[in-house]
Amino acid sequence: MSSSSPGSPHPLSALLGATFAAGLGYGFLQLLLSMLAKLPPVDLDSGSLARGVGILVRYLLVGSVSLVAFMFVMVGLGLAAYSVQLLRERLISSRHRSSL
């Protein structure tokens, strides 16, 4: 059995969560790049209302996907930093216990 309490987080679980979050962020980034490459240019000959709606939908779609990608990447970085902090705390507490 581990020396930590059953409810305390483990550095490997935080690192696993960081890997999943960063993987999802990378996937959404690839989706964003593929969308940007395949979106057709805005037709300037169409009516002003249709052009405005098309531009609005494009901005909402690209903006929401980029926001989701950024969010997952930041969560992955935060969880990676948290796993380093947990590992450091475990090493310090194990050194403190061994010196007693």
Side-chain angles (χ1 to χ4, degrees):
M1 299 224 62
S2 68
S3 60
S4 63
S5 64
S8 67
H10 196 272
L12 288 178
S13 63
L15 196 58
L16 182 65
T19 305
F20 284 146
L24 282 171
Y26 180 74
F28 277 110
L29 181 66
Q30 292 301 314
L31 174 66
L32 176 67
L33 293 176
S34 132
M35 280 176 24
L36 288 175
K38 293 186 179 38
L39 278 175
V42 176
D43 186 20
L44 297 177
D45 295 334
S46 64
S48 63
L49 179 63
R51 184 177 57 231
V53 169
I55 290 172
L56 177 68
V57 167
R58 178 183 301 228
Y59 277 134
L60 287 175
L61 186 65
V62 169
S64 62
V65 171
S66 62
L67 181 66
V68 168
F70 177 77
M71 179 191 67
F72 275 115
V73 168
M74 287 297 115
V75 166
L77 288 175
L79 282 172
Y82 183 56
S83 69
V84 169
Q85 179 186 1
L86 287 175
L87 185 62
R88 194 179 118 240
E89 286 176 1
R90 282 185 180 230
L91 289 174
I92 289 173
S93 67
S94 67
R95 278 192 211 154
H96 181 67
R97 283 189 208 140
S98 65
S99 66
L100 292 179

